[in-house]
Amino acid sequence: MSLADLWSNLQKKQKPTRRLMNVERIGDYSLHSIRGGEIVYFLVQPTNISVLSSESLAARIYSLMNVLKGFAEVEMLCLDSRESFENNKRFLRERAMNEDIPEIRSLLEQENRHLDRIQVQMATTREFLIIVRLRDQKKQEVFPYLGRIEKLLSEQGFKVRRADGEDIKRLLAIYFEQNVTTEHFEDFDGERWITVMEQPENSNLHVK
């Protein structure tokens, strides 16, 4: 096999990042997946159930049941909305186990405990979402359909808003790489450095 054939075969086996993420494109209000169709996300403002009475908690559960009965297509998702330190803690534990110098081992264990404290402080930081997959809806039916879902959620006492394109990018960044620091996500790498070149004031000049 020639080097050119080998390179061609390698390229065929490679999959682009979007295909690995099952993302075709991100629209103004939805994610178009390669497998699973168009997906719409509703961001739900969480409720602190630790301060609710048992009666209030039961009422919230009943409200959620009404939502699920009203729309069979509804799915739920819960994400961390802050950085996860699990990989860091795992690495520190393995380093401490294999470290022979007591002073360094003690430092590694202290660092692990420090990450534990940070993780506990952020344990209640979650992102709650209602997911709707658009399958057979016609284009003119999409917004009325989503409006009915949003109205039902509001009537049952849930504070929600439909995620826009920037929200979806942020959710993907949290889900795939725990990125919670980026404020604006570019559609293309280096997009922020691209500027539109200014046109000359006199654009009617001709070369004779």
Side-chain angles (χ1 to χ4, degrees), residues 95-109:
R95 279 285 290 109
M97 290 174 59
N98 298 324
E99 182 55 58
D100 297 327
I101 303 175
E103 291 78 8
I104 296 179
R105 188 187 311 116
S106 175
L107 289 173
L108 291 168
E109 291 171 350

Side-chain angles (χ1 to χ4, degrees), residues 91-153:
F91 171 76
L92 291 171
R93 284 195 298 269
E94 292 174 356
R95 279 285 290 109
M97 290 174 59
N98 298 324
E99 182 55 58
D100 297 327
I101 303 175
E103 291 78 8
I104 296 179
R105 188 187 311 116
S106 175
L107 289 173
L108 291 168
E109 291 171 350
Q110 290 178 45
E111 180 67 18
N112 206 350
R113 288 194 293 271
H114 174 65
L115 293 181
D116 269 333
R117 286 194 294 271
I118 296 176
Q119 195 79 55
V120 168
Q121 292 172 2
M122 301 190 309
T124 57
T125 309
R126 297 287 186 266
E127 194 96 38
F128 297 93
L129 300 104
I130 298 291
I131 300 173
V132 178
R133 298 180 186 271
L134 303 177
R135 300 188 185 275
D136 302 320
Q137 288 79 10
K138 297 179 181 179
K139 190 173 182 180
Q140 64 270 21
E141 298 174 347
V142 169
F143 286 108
Y145 174 69
L146 296 177
R148 289 198 302 273
I149 295 178
E150 192 167 358
K151 182 181 178 182
L152 175 62
L153 289 167

Side-chain angles (χ1 to χ4, degrees), residues 4-23:
D5 292 334
L6 180 61
W7 176 249
S8 177
N9 289 339
L10 285 173
Q11 286 184 314
K12 290 178 181 178
K13 291 180 181 179
Q14 291 177 345
K15 293 183 178 180
T17 304
R18 285 194 301 176
R19 182 166 293 277
L20 292 172
M21 295 170 62
N22 188 30
V23 174

